[in-house]
Structures are given as C-alpha cells and as structure tokens.
C-alpha cells in the first residue's frame, strides 16, 4: 500500500510562520535547514508508519512530536483503496503558548516584594 501526504492551507501557513520565526530569532539559515530536515524525517516516518499515532477521541485527529518534542504536527489519516492518505492539518512550536490547542496554558508571573 502507498501513502500520500497532503498539506492543507492552514498547515502551510503555520509551517511558513515557524520557518520565519526561526530565522528572525536566530538570523541563522542553518537552524531553518535543521528544522526542515527534522520535518522531512517525521513525514517520512509517518508515511512508513501511518497507523502509529493514536486518534484523539474528541477531535478525530492524530498528532506526533518531533525535534526532541519542540514541534507537534496534527494530521488525519484516511484509508483508501490505494493505501493511506495523510492530511497535515496543523503544526505548532511547543515553545509558544498555543492557546487554541492548549487553552489552559498560562505564563507564570512572579510578584516582587
């Protein structure tokens, strides 16, 4: 069976935003290249193992961490007659608050005495 991967518009926008953030914050294209290599590796892994990630019971999507847990991709796997179709629906940088995904996240604050 074959596996095809499809990028949604939202996924592509989030991917571009992350690449821009990496470059803007480091001013080093090498870090962007490393991110893209890590991204390619996780897509290769998922295409070879499309049933690996569990399906979320409420949202119906799947997710997978990569780059030592810094990033998480969200996707849906569909079984078709020709194999598997993986629809990439979102990608996040776990160093951000990501309140749409984790609504209970907060930034700790400290009071100075």
């Amino acid at each position: 069976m074959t596996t095809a991967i499809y990028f949604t518009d939202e996924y592509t926008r989030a991917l571009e935003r992350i690449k821009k953030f990496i470059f803007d914050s480091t001013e080093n294209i090498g870090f962007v290249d490393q991110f893209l290599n890590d991204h390619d590796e996780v897509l290769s892994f998922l295409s070879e193992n499309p049933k690996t990630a569990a399906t979320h019971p409420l949202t119906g999507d799947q997710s997978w961490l990569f780059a030592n847990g810094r990033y998480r991709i969200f996707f849906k796997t569909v079984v078709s007659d020709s194999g598997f179709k993986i629809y990439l629906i979102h990608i996040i940088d776990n160093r951000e608050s990501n309140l749409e995904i984790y609504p209970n996240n907060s930034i700790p604050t400290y009071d100075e005495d």
Side-chain angles (χ1 to χ4, degrees), residues 38-78:
D38 292 342
H39 184 259
D40 288 347
E41 287 178 16
V42 76
L43 294 184
S44 177
F45 173 79
L46 291 174
S47 69
E48 294 171 9
N49 304 282
K51 294 182 178 181
T52 297
T55 301
H56 190 282
L58 298 177
T59 62
D61 63 1
Q62 299 156 274
S63 69
W64 198 260
L65 292 170
F66 69 100
N68 294 321
R70 176 163 179 183
Y71 306 100
R72 179 180 291 272
I73 59 174
F74 295 85
F75 57 96
K76 289 190 178 185
T77 302
V78 177

Side-chain angles (χ1 to χ4, degrees), residues 11 14 22 24 27 44 47 53 65 67-69 79 84 88 104 106:
Y11 188 90
I22 293 169
D24 289 348
E27 296 183 356
S44 177
S47 69
L65 292 170
N68 294 321
V79 180
F84 296 95
L88 302 174
N104 295 325
S106 63

